[in-house]
Amino acid sequence: MTSVCVATTAFAVFRAGLCPAMQHQEPERAAYTVEVKAALARYLAPVIGTEARAVRR
């Protein structure tokens, strides 16, 4: 996997989660934020050489 492909996909995941998070109030916003962080952590874990860890809230 090339670094450009990884960066493009990670940015797309971030952008896709940003709109719903910004359109909602708390606590829904916090839930969307946690899900986006978890998705990015799981996607990037093999690339950066770490296991996917639980995302801190």
Side-chain angles (χ1 to χ4, degrees), residues 29-50:
R29 181 178 292 178
Y32 278 111
T33 303
V34 168
E35 289 300 319
V36 171
K37 285 181 180 181
L40 285 171
R42 286 191 302 267
Y43 179 72
L44 293 173
V47 177
I48 60 176
T50 61

Side-chain angles (χ1 to χ4, degrees), residues 1-11 43-44 47:
M1 203 174 338
T2 67
S3 59
V4 172
C5 183
V6 171
T8 302
T9 303
F11 185 66
Y43 179 72
L44 293 173
V47 177

Side-chain angles (χ1 to χ4, degrees), residues 19 23 27 40 52 54:
C19 289
Q23 292 174 351
L40 285 171

